[in-house]
């Protein structure tokens, strides 16, 4: 009897182990097939050759991308393609403290001014990123800024930088990434030097100072990881709503939410209904919304480039179909325009060593299925012209 039971038990264990091996073997294959089916079923046909900036403009939207002085000043072909596709530009790094503040008493506007002139010469709008952030702070910051002088240092920076570009800016990311529920605070705020020195009021102070320095610019609170149906991102959406409600209740001049939109292909559950509800809740506060740093990490995608590109385009399609349906959304910017210039290659490389392809144009500035997905999304978007 005992022998028979242990034989059956043994058999079960082997079967179980076999199943695990099978699952481990089958799962990637199923994912592969799933991805191929997803890629194949999508329709990315686009009418005409109009650039994205014109397709967005035709619906009362604004389209553009991030780039840098280094990229545009040294790559004339890219500069031309950029100006063709983009109606607005945001500097990747040139308007952060690290680039603008070589020392506690000095400001360096060289790169920012070059980009402002580039935008003006090419009929593009300009937006600023970012006045207050816990990253990209200059090396002298830690030794020179403290509880006693932080407010004066912050207000001087905002008055000088926003004042310098006053009247030239479409919008400013006044405060960037101030939310991190994982830090355990009841208000969900991230523990940053600004919070440590000035308390939660640093956000209100920053917006009031920006409104004074440039009354024309749209003042934006910008944040990331708000897009997917995960407990972490749900917690972030709740914390961002709480922050925005608080700012509005205190009549702090925040006018828009910037949703960065760093997306992931086939890594996290996307729930259109939940994202639609979040966008509507933000709009319900009387705020505008911009997608400020859109790109699609493709490190988990398998298959050849043609399949990968269609999968990345599918992520753009699903996301923009939801986002552009919300009338409070006024614009979309990619964080980069061509796969030749993207932060993702350095930060989220592919295991197979192949180049990442997160953006609408490829390494040679050719339009990809992602470009087609964005063009279709703008062409199919409800017009804002009629409603405004
Ligand atoms: O320019 C210096 C160069 O002189 C030096 O040799 C080199 C090596 O240290 O560093 C170069 O500066 C780098 C800069 O990018 C320019 O490429 C900084 O180290 C590096 O930290 C900086 O990274 C930027 C990062 O923000 C931090 O500011 C990325 O380019 C930029 O894409 C990234 O953008 C952020 C947004 O601001 C906020 N949302 C997420 C997004 C991606 O992380």
């Amino acid at each position: 009897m005992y022998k028979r039971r242990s034989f059956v038990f043994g058999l079960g264990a082997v079967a179980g182990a076999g199943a695990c091996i099978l699952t481990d073997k089958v799962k990637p294959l199923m994912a592969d097939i799933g991805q191929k089916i997803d890629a194949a079923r999508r329709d990315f046909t686009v009418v005409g050759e109009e650039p994205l900036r014109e397709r967005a403009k035709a619906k009362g939207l604004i389209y553009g991308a991030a780039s840098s002085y280094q990229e545009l000043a040294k790559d004339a072909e890219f500069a031309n393609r950029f100006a063709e596709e983009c109606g607005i530009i945001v500097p990747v790094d040139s308007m952060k403290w690290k680039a603008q503040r070589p020392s506690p008493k000095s400001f360096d506007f060289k790169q920012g001014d070059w980009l402002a002139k580039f935008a003006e010469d090419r009929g593009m709008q300009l937006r600023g990123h970012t006045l207050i952030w816990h990253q990209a702070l200059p090396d002298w910051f830690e030794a020179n800024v403290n509880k006693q002088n932080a407010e004066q240092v912050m207000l001087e920076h905002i008055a000088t930088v926003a004042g310098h570009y006053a009247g030239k800016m479409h919008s400013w990311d006044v405060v960037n990434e101030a939310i991190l529920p994982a830090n355990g605070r009841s208000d969900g705020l991230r523990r940053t030097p600004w919070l440590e020195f000035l308390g939660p009021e640093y956000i209100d102070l920053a917006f009031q100072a920006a409104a004074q320095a440039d009354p024309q610019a749209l003042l934006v609170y910008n944040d990331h990881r708000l897009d997917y149906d995960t407990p972490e991102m749900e917690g972030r959406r709740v914390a961002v709503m709480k922050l925005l409600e608080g700012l509005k209740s205190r009549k702090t001049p925040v006018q828009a939410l910037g949703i960065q939109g760093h997306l992931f292909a086939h890594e996290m559950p996307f729930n259109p209904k939940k994202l639609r509800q979040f966008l509507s809740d933000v709009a319900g506060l009387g705020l505008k919304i911009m997608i400020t740093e859109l790109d699609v990490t493709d490190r988990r995608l398998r298959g050849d480039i043609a399949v990968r590109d269609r999968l990345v385009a599918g992520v753009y399609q699903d996301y923009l179909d939801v986002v552009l349906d919300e009338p409070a959304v006024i614009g979309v910017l990619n964080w980069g325009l061509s796969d030749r210039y993207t932060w993702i290659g350095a930060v989220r490389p592919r295991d197979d060593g192949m180049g990442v392809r997160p953006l609408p144009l490829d390494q040679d500035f050719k339009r990809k299925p992602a470009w087609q997905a964005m063009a279709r999304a703008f062409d199919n978007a409800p017009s804002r012209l009629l409603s405004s």
Side-chain angles (χ1 to χ4, degrees):
M1 176 58 181
Y2 171 72
K3 273 217 184 70
R4 213 169 77 81
R5 206 179 310 127
S6 56
F7 170 72
V8 172
F9 183 78
L11 198 63
V14 170
C20 291
I21 294 163
L22 263 183
T23 318
D24 287 353
K25 286 247 173 298
V26 168
K27 243 199 204 150
L29 290 175
M30 295 305 289
D32 223 6
I33 295 162
Q35 289 184 7
K36 285 203 169 70
I37 294 167
D38 181 22
R41 70 176 176 77
R42 300 257 177 184
D43 173 8
F44 297 119
T45 42
V46 171
V47 181
E49 292 301 317
E50 287 287 276
L52 296 178
R53 67 182 288 174
E54 297 308 325
R55 291 173 193 266
K57 193 173 172 197
K59 294 301 176 74
L61 289 156
I62 193 162
Y63 169 76
S67 187
S68 70
Y69 162 76
Q70 289 82 358
E71 295 162 7
L72 295 165
K74 299 190 180 118
D75 191 334
E77 186 195 354
F78 176 61
N80 293 336
R81 287 293 286 112
F82 193 98
E84 191 186 313
E85 295 286 352
C86 297
I88 186 168
I89 182 171
V90 59
V92 165
D93 287 304
S94 308
M95 290 185 182
K96 292 173 182 172
W97 282 64
K98 195 162 181 83
Q100 287 180 323
R101 303 298 306 276
S103 73
K105 283 288 162 235
S106 63
F107 291 81
D108 177 351
F109 293 119
K110 204 168 52 269
Q111 291 185 9
D113 290 357
W114 188 94
L115 289 165
K117 176 101 175 39
F118 176 82
E120 196 180 333
D121 295 349
R122 309 286 187 130
M124 270 189 275
Q125 297 211 48
L126 175 69
R127 72 180 308 267
H129 174 82
T130 174
L131 291 169
I132 299 298
W133 191 23
H134 62 284
Q135 284 189 39
L137 292 171
D139 301 342
W140 55 262
F141 187 91
E142 202 171 344
N144 290 272
V145 183
N146 51 52
K147 257 189 193 321
Q148 286 64 47
N149 67 4
E151 182 169 332
Q152 180 267 329
V153 170
M154 183 178 86
L155 296 182
E156 182 204 16
H157 181 85
I158 295 174
T160 309
V161 173
H164 180 82
Y165 293 106
K168 293 187 183 144
M169 282 294 187
H170 167 275
S171 51
W172 263 110
D173 291 337
V174 177
V175 175
N176 188 46
E177 299 175 11
I179 290 289
L180 187 63
N183 274 172
R185 288 176 54 96
S186 59
D187 56 14
L189 290 181
R190 179 192 296 271
R191 297 186 191 285
T192 71
W194 300 113
L195 183 75
E196 186 199 332
F197 297 144
L198 300 171
E201 302 76 52
Y202 85 88
I203 300 175
D204 302 75
L205 280 173
F207 276 95
Q208 284 147 8
Q212 206 167 5
D214 188 351
Q216 289 176 34
L218 184 78
L219 304 180
V220 181
Y221 171 71
N222 195 50
D223 217 322
H224 61 174
R225 301 185 71 79
L226 299 167
D227 321 283
Y228 288 98
D229 187 15
T230 66
E232 179 239 346
M233 295 200 191
E234 182 56 29
R236 296 181 56 78
R237 287 189 288 270
V238 170
V240 166
M241 275 306 292
K242 201 168 164 185
L243 170 66
L244 296 174
E245 283 158 357
L247 293 170
K248 292 297 287 182
S249 69
R250 297 188 295 275
K251 306 224 172 324
T252 298
V254 56
Q255 292 148 340
L257 171 65
I259 297 175
Q260 292 183 11
H262 293 291
L263 306 179
F264 300 83
H266 288 258
E267 289 192 30
M268 280 178 238
F270 179 63
N271 180 325
K273 198 158 163 289
K274 278 207 175 159
L275 182 60
R276 212 181 277 282
Q277 186 56 53
F278 174 63
L279 297 171
S280 162
D281 293 345
V282 172
L285 295 175
L287 295 171
K288 295 295 183 192
I289 301 168
M290 293 186 77
I291 307 303
T292 55
E293 305 182 16
L294 189 59
D295 52 22
V296 176
T297 293
D298 65 347
R299 63 185 168 185
R300 294 271 187 287
L301 296 186
R302 311 159 67 84
D304 62 23
I305 285 185
V307 171
R308 281 172 47 200
D309 281 358
R310 291 182 67 81
L311 289 165
V312 163
V315 173
Y316 274 105
Q317 189 172 51
D318 294 347
Y319 189 76
L320 289 174
D321 286 352
V322 170
V323 162
L324 295 179
D325 215 32
E326 170 50 58
V329 173
I330 61 170
V332 175
L333 288 90
N334 281 113
W335 200 244
L337 180 66
S338 155
D339 298 335
R340 185 184 292 191
Y341 302 118
T342 170
W343 68 293
I344 292 184
V347 178
R348 296 182 185 145
R350 291 178 53 83
D351 310 344
D352 59 12
M354 288 172 79
V356 295
R357 300 174 65 85
L359 293 165
L361 303 186
D362 70 10
Q363 292 265 353
D364 306 315
F365 315 137
K366 300 257 176 329
R367 291 170 173 177
K368 296 161 54 187
W371 181 94
Q372 293 167 282
M374 298 190 82
R376 274 171 69 91
F378 289 131
D379 293 349
N380 300 336
S383 176
R384 275 74 172 152
L385 296 171
L386 303 169
S387 60
S388 57

